[in-house]
Amino acid sequence: MEGQSSDEDEKRRRKEKKERKRDVGRQKEHKESKDGEDLERNNSTKEDEKEEIIIEDTPTTEQVFEADYEEDFEQYDDDFEEDDGEGGDKTEDERESTSTHTNPEIEEIRRAIIAENERISRVPTARNQEVNAEQTKSAKEATPSGSSRGTFFDFVAAKQRQVSHQMANKQKKRITELLRLVDLDFSVTFSLMDLPPVSEYDMYIKNFGRTNTKQAYVQYNDDNLDRDIQTDEVETLEKWTQFPAAGAVVCGGPTSDSDLSLDFLSTTRIDTPRLINFLRSACQVMSVLIEEDRAEMQPSQIFKSKGTSLSVCDGCFQFNTNLPFLHDREVHSLSLSLVQRQTIISVHGLPRKPSAVRLDSKFILCVWNIWEPSSPQKVLICESEVRCCCFSPGKATLVFAGTVDGSVVLWDLRERSSLHHTMKIGDFEWIFREPTFCTDGILSTVNHSCPVQAIETISIAAADGKHHSLSFSVPHEESSGLSFQLASLDESGLLNLWVVVELPKADIAGSQLDLGLIPGGKVKLIHSSRINMNSSILQMGAHLGVLQTSSLKFLPSDPNHFIMGTDTGLVSHGTRHGLRTSPRLYKPQQNGPRPVQVTCLNFCPFEETLFLVGCSDGSVRLHRTTSEYPVFQWNDSTKGQPVVFMQWSFTRPAVFFILDAESYIYIWDLLDNDMQPVAQELIQSDKVTTIAVLGDPEKPNALSGLVLAKQSGTIEIQYLNKRWTVIQHEELKKLHKILQFAI
């Protein structure tokens, strides 16, 4: 009975649910029909009011979703009620009988629910179609016939899209929050257990090293391993040495194996030339450092100039000519090395008064280093008066000189001091070097018979037209064996060409063939050819009588050509191999020869086709090698005084310096003024006999100045200021323009 009552209760509940569902469906239908009537009734109202009514009365998607959501849960409740625990106690027969009675009823309820759902889904669609049709019809009727059609806005679809967008945003937000919670973090790692293996030694100590044991270190030679290799065994020889040495023998060893001893000795050979070059360079550096230390420790002995520096200079200093063998000796000439530009040679005459030094009858030449003014590097002596001198074209290892008796002499500055005379003067020992070779021992037929006026070295011209004497390197000089040519010119116009040869080995006993070579000397002169310029000038058709020559220069771009000054104001142009030259003579602007001696010639280091000519009447000419007449001629440049010295600047193409016989120094700058000198200096206290110009075209910031040799025998260096040493912008181009306008 109780089972039957429970079945009845269940049926009753199901019926009540069905009735509730039917009531909900009827209410929805009634509401939809009422909404349709309201829309038809309000067609004549404004469109804004109609839209509000539609939006307010239309069931939203959320309401429909909630209704379906509740129905789904009701169906799930039915399923759970069927599995109630009370029914579990029934027997299988009762369950079968109950299922046969209830299955038809359940099927009917399901069919009814499905039908109601279909009808509900069809009603809104039809109602929406009717509403849209009525809205379209009312819009057409409200629009005037002559006006343009309006735009229809579907607010229902817009509202639905808005709701769908809101739902999607809620879901997206929910997903984002969940992903943040389930994110895994692998940034922190740690080892649960780290247990390194126990070494054999630790295991041994753990088991046996606790009691009655003592540790001790022993050498059991376990690392002495042998390996087979495929190389020859290195031969060794044991030697001993002792330092400091207790006697003459400081090293030794077994010498039973003669072959090993010879091999050992062969490996200890010394590269003597390289060692000598190194020692020579190192000694020069050490000498400069010692000179600087001496100047710092004894400031009173710094050799400063007694007079003030020139107005065109920034400072000055003197060489130490206050030496016993240089007292009262006038400086006749100066010469610079074109490679080692810090090296200069000075020629000193005989002393005016007798001195205690036994050198009164000797002419002295001193080789100086401008960085070591305290004493000369080398002291050379000559029996005859020296008129001119020069260095070798490469490194300053050879000195050549022409004498008043017509001989040409040379000194090899590399010779050992033991070959020359040593004299102790005061507390110092001085080495006076005799000439290594002299042409007095050569036959008189090829030698000069009158004073030598000029001497010049001839270097090989480069293929690109540049002069090797400006870039002659020491390795090239050594590899060539000091083989080059030398030219000497006497006042009669005889030009002798010599070949400078270095012998492979020196003979300490002297040579029976080379009578002019000193015993132990290695460098000599061999006569090559001779040119008589007087006969050459006569062949030109110029009847000028017997000419006297005074100066000689070779063209830097082509050493085969040379020019020489005469006593008629003309400059002769010739070649070593007798080729035709054009022009043959370089003449002044005045027609015809004059009794004017050409005292000096000098080529421009920046433009090799330009050269200066200084004359005894004080006139100065600027020539081109391709033109017979000068580009510029300044007749009154020195106020009628003879030009003693003339030199281009090594750092500025438009600047050159002139010294006259009255000790006036003139500075010309063709960019500032091409008619007269821009500066001049007069030295009255001590007359200047000659000057030399310091400078390096490859190093404009190096020392640039004037070396002044005075009548008293002093030599001082004046530092030129930057106006005369620093090259201007495009100075060479400006000089070319000035020369073009002058032509």
Side-chain angles (χ1 to χ4, degrees):
M1 294 296 290
E2 293 178 356
Q4 293 179 356
S5 61
S6 61
D7 293 337
E8 292 176 358
D9 294 336
E10 185 177 354
K11 291 178 181 181
R12 194 183 306 112
R13 286 195 299 272
R14 291 179 179 176
K15 287 180 180 181
E16 291 176 355
K17 290 181 180 179
K18 290 179 180 181
E19 290 177 359
R20 285 197 300 272
K21 291 180 180 180
R22 290 172 184 171
D23 293 338
V24 171
R26 293 192 190 98
Q27 290 177 0
K28 291 181 179 179
E29 291 177 0
H30 178 67
K31 192 179 230 182
E32 291 173 358
S33 61
K34 187 177 180 180
D35 293 337
E37 293 174 0
D38 292 337
L39 291 172
E40 293 175 0
R41 194 179 298 113
N42 297 328
N43 282 333
S44 60
T45 60
K46 295 181 180 180
E47 191 158 347
D48 294 337
E49 296 176 356
K50 180 168 60 180
E51 291 172 358
E52 293 176 357
I53 294 171
I54 292 172
I55 293 171
E56 290 176 356
D57 296 339
T58 304
T60 61
T61 307
E62 294 179 356
Q63 295 175 355
V64 176
F65 179 77
E66 290 176 357
D68 295 338
Y69 187 80
E70 292 177 357
E71 291 177 0
D72 293 339
F73 272 99
E74 289 178 355
Q75 293 177 4
Y76 280 115
D77 292 340
D78 296 342
D79 296 337
F80 283 116
E81 288 175 356
E82 291 179 358
D83 295 335
D84 195 4
E86 294 178 356
D89 298 332
K90 295 181 181 181
T91 60
E92 294 180 357
D93 296 334
E94 292 177 351
R95 291 178 180 174
E96 291 177 358
S97 60
T98 304
S99 61
T100 54
H101 290 292
T102 57
N103 286 335
E105 296 177 355
I106 294 171
E107 293 295 332
E108 290 178 0
I109 293 169
R110 290 180 179 176
R111 285 194 295 272
I113 292 171
I114 294 170
E116 289 177 0
N117 292 335
E118 292 177 356
R119 187 174 64 254
I120 291 169
S121 62
R122 287 196 301 272
V123 171
T125 305
R127 181 176 60 79
N128 292 335
Q129 293 177 358
E130 293 175 359
V131 171
N132 294 334
E134 291 175 358
Q135 290 177 352
T136 305
K137 183 178 180 181
S138 61
K140 290 180 180 181
E141 292 175 357
T143 305
S145 59
S147 61
S148 60
R149 296 183 63 184
T151 303
F152 176 73
F153 296 95
D154 189 357
F155 291 94
V156 177
K159 183 65 177 178
Q160 291 178 356
R161 286 194 299 271
Q162 182 180 4
V163 173
S164 301
H165 184 67
Q166 290 177 355
M167 294 298 294
N169 288 340
K170 290 181 180 181
Q171 293 179 358
K172 183 177 179 181
K173 182 179 180 182
R174 179 64 176 169
I175 291 172
T176 304
E177 293 176 353
L178 292 176
L179 288 176
R180 189 182 300 111
L181 296 176
V182 299
D183 189 14
L184 299 180
D185 186 7
F186 297 98
S187 61
V188 179
T189 59
F190 58 90
S191 300
L192 297 178
M193 183 178 179
D194 185 8
L195 182 61
V198 181
S199 62
E200 296 181 359
Y201 179 76
D202 294 339
M203 182 61 70
Y204 174 79
I205 293 299
K206 182 178 179 182
N207 295 331
F208 305 102
R210 297 298 182 183
T211 58
N212 299 327
T213 57
K214 183 178 180 180
Q215 298 184 16
Y217 294 96
V218 295
Q219 294 181 354
Y220 49 89
N221 204 21
D222 193 17
D223 57 346
N224 188 9
L225 304 177
D226 293 334
R227 293 290 185 269
D228 294 334
I229 57 176
Q230 296 181 355
T231 57
D232 297 335
E233 185 178 356
V234 178
E235 297 179 355
T236 60
L237 183 65
E238 294 183 0
K239 289 290 182 179
W240 62 266
T241 183
Q242 181 180 3
F243 182 82
V249 180
V250 296
C251 63
T255 57
S256 57
D257 193 348
S258 59
D259 295 336
L260 290 178
S261 300
L262 293 176
D263 293 340
F264 177 77
L265 293 175
S266 63
T267 58
T268 58
R269 290 179 180 176
I270 299 174
D271 189 355
T272 304
R274 184 178 178 185
L275 178 60
I276 292 174
N277 293 332
F278 168 75
L279 292 177
R280 186 183 295 114
S281 302
C283 290
Q284 185 176 1
V285 174
M286 296 300 295
S287 299
V288 174
L289 295 177
I290 292 172
E291 188 79 18
E292 293 177 356
D293 292 341
R294 184 186 303 172
E296 292 179 358
M297 296 174 62
Q298 300 176 357
S300 60
Q301 296 185 5
I302 300 177
F303 304 100
K304 297 182 179 179
S305 177
K306 296 180 181 179
T308 58
S309 61
L310 304 179
S311 61
V312 295
C313 301
D314 294 334
C316 64
F317 69 92
Q318 277 189 348
F319 288 154
N320 182 21
T321 57
N322 190 20
L323 299 174
F325 52 87
L326 294 179
H327 282 168
D328 295 328
R329 288 179 181 265
E330 181 181 347
V331 180
H332 291 169
S333 62
L334 296 171
S335 181
L336 288 171
S337 172
L338 295 179
V339 176
Q340 295 176 305
R341 296 183 181 270
Q342 76 280 4
T343 305
I344 184 172
I345 186 170
S346 60
V347 179
H348 301 260
L350 296 177
R352 300 182 184 91
K353 299 177 182 179
S355 62
V357 182
R358 293 174 297 174
L359 295 172
D360 293 344
S361 61
K362 306 286 186 179
F363 291 86
I364 296 178
L365 292 80
C366 295
V367 180
W368 302 85
N369 188 338
I370 62 176
W371 306 120
E372 302 178 51
S374 60
S375 61
Q377 302 290 308
K378 307 288 183 182
V379 180
L380 317 178
I381 57 176
C382 184
E383 297 289 341
S384 180
E385 180 183 355
V386 176
R387 286 288 186 91
C388 53
C389 63
C390 67
F391 283 101
S392 55
K395 193 174 180 181
T397 56
L398 301 179
V399 176
F400 304 93
T403 64
V404 71
D405 58 3
S407 61
V408 178
V409 293
L410 72 87
W411 289 267
D412 187 0
L413 304 182
R414 303 168 300 173
E415 290 177 346
R416 294 177 298 174
S417 302
S418 59
L419 297 178
H420 301 282
H421 180 64
T422 303
M423 183 182 299
K424 186 174 182 180
I425 303 175
D427 297 334
F428 301 96
E429 288 187 354
W430 295 92
I431 300 172
F432 296 94
R433 295 176 176 266
E434 297 283 346
T436 303
F437 184 84
C438 182
T439 58
D440 291 340
I442 302 177
L443 296 177
S444 60
T445 55
V446 298
N447 207 346
H448 294 286
S449 59
C450 55
V452 178
Q453 297 290 340
I455 188 167
E456 292 286 334
T457 57
I458 306 173
S459 58
I460 301 174
D464 56 355
K466 294 184 179 180
H467 195 207
H468 267 206
S469 64
L470 297 178
S471 59
F472 208 90
S473 60
V474 177
H476 179 77
E477 181 189 62
E478 293 177 354
S479 63
S480 63
L482 292 178
S483 180
F484 55 91
Q485 285 190 326
L486 180 74
S488 58
L489 176 69
D490 60 21
E491 62 181 14
S492 66
L494 178 62
L495 178 65
N496 275 333
L497 300 178
W498 311 85
V499 178
V500 182
V501 179
E502 183 180 11
L503 302 177
K505 186 178 180 181
D507 189 358
I508 196 64
S511 175
Q512 296 181 357
L513 299 178
D514 297 325
L515 301 179
L517 184 64
I518 189 176
K522 294 178 60 177
V523 182
K524 68 176 184 177
L525 297 177
I526 298 177
H527 188 264
S528 174
S529 61
R530 59 187 299 174
I531 301 173
N532 192 345
M533 295 305 300
N534 274 306
S535 60
S536 300
I537 294 175
L538 289 175
Q539 292 176 2
M540 297 177 191
H543 301 284
L544 304 175
V546 179
L547 299 180
Q548 288 187 354
T549 55
S550 57
S551 55
L552 172 70
K553 289 292 179 182
F554 285 85
L555 272 69
S557 58
D558 186 4
N560 184 44
H561 292 257
F562 61 85
I563 58 176
M564 61 176 60
T566 64
D567 59 350
T568 60
L570 301 177
V571 177
S572 176
H573 182 196
T575 59
R576 290 187 293 161
H577 304 294
L579 301 176
R580 288 183 176 271
T581 59
S582 176
R584 295 186 177 183
L585 293 175
Y586 296 100
K587 303 176 182 179
Q589 293 178 351
Q590 296 86 357
N591 293 326
R594 297 181 302 158
V596 176
Q597 184 179 7
V598 176
T599 56
C600 48
L601 301 170
N602 187 247
F603 279 94
C604 178
F606 296 91
E607 183 60 44
E608 296 176 349
T609 60
L610 297 176
F611 65 93
L612 290 170
V613 178
C615 301
S616 60
D617 62 348
S619 62
V620 177
R621 308 199 303 261
L622 177 61
H623 282 270
R624 279 190 181 274
T625 56
T626 57
S627 178
E628 183 178 4
Y629 291 97
V631 180
F632 285 106
Q633 179 170 335
W634 301 281
N635 294 322
D636 197 20
S637 62
T638 61
K639 301 177 183 179
Q641 295 297 327
V643 177
V644 177
F645 175 85
M646 183 171 51
Q647 174 71 53
W648 284 93
S649 172
F650 288 106
T651 56
R652 289 197 56 189
V655 175
F656 57 90
F657 306 90
I658 295 176
L659 174 68
D660 66 4
E662 292 296 326
S663 191
Y664 272 95
I665 298 175
Y666 302 91
I667 300 179
W668 287 74
D669 189 349
L670 298 180
L671 298 185
D672 291 346
N673 193 339
D674 58 357
M675 299 300 296
Q676 60 184 1
V678 295
Q680 62 181 9
E681 292 285 344
L682 174 62
I683 303 176
Q684 297 178 346
S685 59
D686 194 0
K687 185 179 179 180
V688 178
T689 57
T690 184
I691 65 174
V693 180
L694 293 175
D696 190 349
E698 298 179 357
K699 299 177 182 179
N701 296 327
L703 175 63
S704 297
L706 299 176
V707 184
L708 308 181
K710 297 186 178 181
Q711 195 172 13
S712 63
T714 60
I715 303 174
E716 67 179 24
I717 295 180
Q718 298 279 345
Y719 296 102
L720 291 171
N721 55 37
K722 293 183 179 180
R723 178 185 176 184
W724 317 112
T725 59
V726 178
I727 189 171
Q728 298 182 10
H729 180 64
E730 296 183 349
E731 182 171 344
L732 188 58
K733 292 183 179 179
K734 295 178 182 178
L735 179 61
H736 287 164
K737 291 181 180 179
I738 293 174
L739 297 177
Q740 290 176 359
F741 291 146
I743 295 173

